Amino acid sequence: MTAKPHSVDLSEFFTEATRVRDNSPLKSLTKYMEADPTLLSLGAGLPHPSTFPFAQIGAHVAPAGASVANTAPADMLNVSVTTSSGAIEGLGKFLQYGNGRGVPSYAAFTREHTHRVHDPKYVDWDTVVSLGNTDAFVKALMLFYTSGDTLLVDEWTYPAIIGTVVPMNIQLAPVRMDAEGMVPEALDHVCTNWTGERKLRMVYTIPTAQNPTGATMSIARKRAIYAVAQKHNLVIIEDDPYYYLQFEPYTADSENRYTNLPGITSLVPSLLSLDTDGRVIRLDSFSKVLAPGLRCGWVTAPKYITDKIQFHNETSIQQPAGVSQAIVASLMNEQWGHSGWERHLVQIQRDYAMRRDLFVDLCLKHLNGLVEFTVPDAGMFLWFRVLLKPELQGQTGVMQRVFDSMVANHVLLVPGYMFSPKGAEQKVRDEPYIRAAFSFAATTDFEAAITRLAQALEPFC
């Protein structure tokens, strides 16, 4: 077996703030306490665990592969963490200040899971905790970027990214997309013809169920994007919160649906899994597959990068809330395990696939001639191109009138311009796109919502 290579050193692109960022002096002393159980510490300014008024923290959780709605109270699992828990740390550890890397049992699960699913192709990879992918994005961006730099992004992208970089005076360079997401040739064209004062160093993309378009990159597309990144020596931020919400292609044959859900073993391989250089910074989150309020995620990258994120954590978030880490660590290490985690993911995939299929069925029934869309193979979104009448296409303010008509008909979708890196200029505002989410509304409300949308669009189409 060929030995895995060491990652390529991209620290030359670090900002000056990143270069000088180091382990918190106080946090650096904890290694002595951990290494020597006989050491008597008079140095740590930590509150004593005996003052914590919590004897037990827990939750009733559905068995792996089941939903809360379909589980009787007597069949619920009892996830419980006490002051002297066994397979994971006790409450005294979870509720104490941390070192920015996460409580060991939580962090160990993220590493083992990453190894099982992605098997990074270089030897010095590691993980570090985050509060979810938006927090992780900020930390990853600030490693390499400062005011005046330019970030490569999809031509339609997640609004929180836009809202993060604009106040930092970081510019956005949009890259053309198609039904599979970012187009490699377009990325190469932007990089090859770049004339800005500062070199392009990073590309941000959501490769699975892209927000807002719902596009998912194939393995061939990911290889091509990665090759362009190698050619131009780019760092890739792989923001993948919808990675586990993959399902089969849509079929109108309702009897043959949900027979081949991917679970973990048949997911489209990630960019991380293709990365031989260590140029992919992968962002993962429990938000879409457990609950967003947990605020638990992790970042995978070469260790010299995760170390810098750890140091940033230590002077900002510390780590995810101890209560959240305790519940996740207990669930993953003591209750579900990796096999149960996969059964849970299959259940989540089935739930969202059923939502996708019902929503698409109804769109095909009621929106014919009003919109065009590509059926997504993952995620939560449909990206509609409104088929405006020829005389309305490009008309100033037309999409504002469409939005007002939707509100008047008591249905809400997100205007496309809100996802544009070009900002809210009038030309972008009049682009005929709107995003629908099939993730949150009750399925019993789908048909009413879609018929209301049809009524709102009919005067314009």
Side-chain angles (χ1 to χ4, degrees), residues 178-332:
D178 63 13
E180 285 194 36
M182 185 176 287
V183 175
E185 294 79 9
L187 177 61
D188 184 45
H189 177 80
V190 172
C191 293
T192 300
N193 295 281
W194 181 250
T195 58
E197 292 184 5
R198 299 187 187 180
K199 179 180 172 61
L200 296 170
R201 298 192 298 279
M202 180 178 284
V203 55
Y204 167 84
T205 191
I206 306 170
T208 308
Q210 199 263 357
N211 187 1
T213 67
T216 294
M217 291 185 184
S218 65
I219 183 64
R221 174 61 59 89
K222 289 178 179 179
R223 288 193 177 107
I225 290 289
Y226 187 77
V228 175
Q230 287 183 307
K231 176 182 176 181
H232 295 284
N233 204 20
L234 300 173
V235 176
I236 301 173
I237 296 184
E238 181 181 27
D239 185 359
D240 225 355
Y242 309 100
Y243 184 67
Y244 301 103
L245 303 186
Q246 298 182 39
F247 20 82
E248 306 118 309
Y250 172 80
T251 174
D253 181 4
S254 60
E255 293 185 2
N256 290 313
R257 293 173 172 172
Y258 326 124
T259 58
N260 193 30
L261 295 166
I264 286 178
T265 57
S266 299
L267 295 168
V268 177
S270 63
L271 282 161
L272 174 65
S273 72
L274 305 176
D275 182 18
T276 54
D277 297 342
R279 66 178 64 253
V280 173
I281 301 176
R282 179 176 171 82
L283 316 183
D284 276 293
S285 172
F286 287 111
S287 291
K288 305 302 188 293
V289 289
L290 286 181
L294 289 170
R295 306 316 304 145
C296 283
W298 71 98
V299 179
T300 307
K303 190 174 185 302
Y304 73 93
I305 288 177
T306 59
D307 283 348
K308 292 293 186 179
I309 294 175
Q310 173 190 338
F311 302 157
H312 195 166
N313 283 347
E314 290 173 353
T315 57
S316 57
I317 66 167
Q318 299 271 337
Q319 58 180 339
V323 172
S324 293
Q325 287 192 80
I327 290 173
V328 174
S330 177
L331 182 63
M332 297 303 179

Side-chain angles (χ1 to χ4, degrees), residues 8-335:
V8 173
D9 186 1
L10 299 173
S11 62
E12 63 181 291
F13 297 143
F14 280 170
T15 66
E16 184 58 31
T18 301
R19 293 180 195 279
V20 301
R21 191 182 298 280
D22 206 347
N23 196 192
S24 163
L26 294 177
K27 302 290 186 187
S28 69
L29 298 177
T30 59
K31 63 185 177 183
Y32 299 105
M33 299 169 62
E34 294 169 352
D36 181 4
T38 68
L39 185 144
L40 300 176
S41 175
L42 299 179
L46 308 176
H48 197 275
S50 66
T51 67
F52 302 164
F54 306 98
Q56 179 179 356
I57 288 174
H60 290 134
V61 180
S67 67
V68 170
N70 296 324
T71 302
D75 294 328
M76 289 287 183
L77 300 178
N78 182 29
V79 174
S80 177
V81 183
T82 67
T83 54
S84 58
S85 289
I88 63 172
E89 299 82 359
L91 275 182
K93 181 71 171 180
F94 282 107
L95 298 182
Q96 190 57 268
Y97 288 114
N99 67 356
R101 202 123 203 147
V103 177
S105 59
Y106 175 94
F109 177 83
T110 68
R111 284 192 294 273
E112 185 177 353
H113 173 77
T114 299
H115 173 69
R116 284 170 173 255
V117 176
H118 306 287
D119 188 22
K121 300 303 183 288
Y122 57 94
V123 69
D124 55 319
W125 67 274
D126 203 358
T127 64
V128 63
V129 295
S130 74
L131 295 187
N133 285 16
T134 303
D135 169 61
F137 168 76
V138 173
K139 303 284 174 55
L141 180 75
M142 292 179 67
L143 292 169
F144 299 97
Y145 270 48
T146 189
S147 176
D149 287 326
T150 301
L151 176 68
L152 292 151
V153 296
D154 296 304
E155 65 176 315
W156 303 101
T157 195
Y158 179 39
I161 301 307
I162 301 171
T164 296
V165 303
V166 169
M168 298 171 68
N169 192 35
I170 292 172
Q171 310 306 309
L172 294 171
V175 180
R176 183 169 55 86
M177 302 174 67
D178 63 13
E180 285 194 36
M182 185 176 287
V183 175
E185 294 79 9
L187 177 61
D188 184 45
H189 177 80
V190 172
C191 293
T192 300
N193 295 281
W194 181 250
T195 58
E197 292 184 5
R198 299 187 187 180
K199 179 180 172 61
L200 296 170
R201 298 192 298 279
M202 180 178 284
V203 55
Y204 167 84
T205 191
I206 306 170
T208 308
Q210 199 263 357
N211 187 1
T213 67
T216 294
M217 291 185 184
S218 65
I219 183 64
R221 174 61 59 89
K222 289 178 179 179
R223 288 193 177 107
I225 290 289
Y226 187 77
V228 175
Q230 287 183 307
K231 176 182 176 181
H232 295 284
N233 204 20
L234 300 173
V235 176
I236 301 173
I237 296 184
E238 181 181 27
D239 185 359
D240 225 355
Y242 309 100
Y243 184 67
Y244 301 103
L245 303 186
Q246 298 182 39
F247 20 82
E248 306 118 309
Y250 172 80
T251 174
D253 181 4
S254 60
E255 293 185 2
N256 290 313
R257 293 173 172 172
Y258 326 124
T259 58
N260 193 30
L261 295 166
I264 286 178
T265 57
S266 299
L267 295 168
V268 177
S270 63
L271 282 161
L272 174 65
S273 72
L274 305 176
D275 182 18
T276 54
D277 297 342
R279 66 178 64 253
V280 173
I281 301 176
R282 179 176 171 82
L283 316 183
D284 276 293
S285 172
F286 287 111
S287 291
K288 305 302 188 293
V289 289
L290 286 181
L294 289 170
R295 306 316 304 145
C296 283
W298 71 98
V299 179
T300 307
K303 190 174 185 302
Y304 73 93
I305 288 177
T306 59
D307 283 348
K308 292 293 186 179
I309 294 175
Q310 173 190 338
F311 302 157
H312 195 166
N313 283 347
E314 290 173 353
T315 57
S316 57
I317 66 167
Q318 299 271 337
Q319 58 180 339
V323 172
S324 293
Q325 287 192 80
I327 290 173
V328 174
S330 177
L331 182 63
M332 297 303 179
N333 291 291
E334 298 180 322
Q335 297 286 349

Side-chain angles (χ1 to χ4, degrees), residues 50 53 91 222 310 317 330 356 384 398 416 422 446 455-456 461:
S50 66
L91 275 182
K222 289 178 179 179
Q310 173 190 338
I317 66 167
S330 177
R356 187 273 313 261
F384 292 137
V398 63
K422 297 178 182 178
F446 278 6
Q455 292 166 1
C461 299

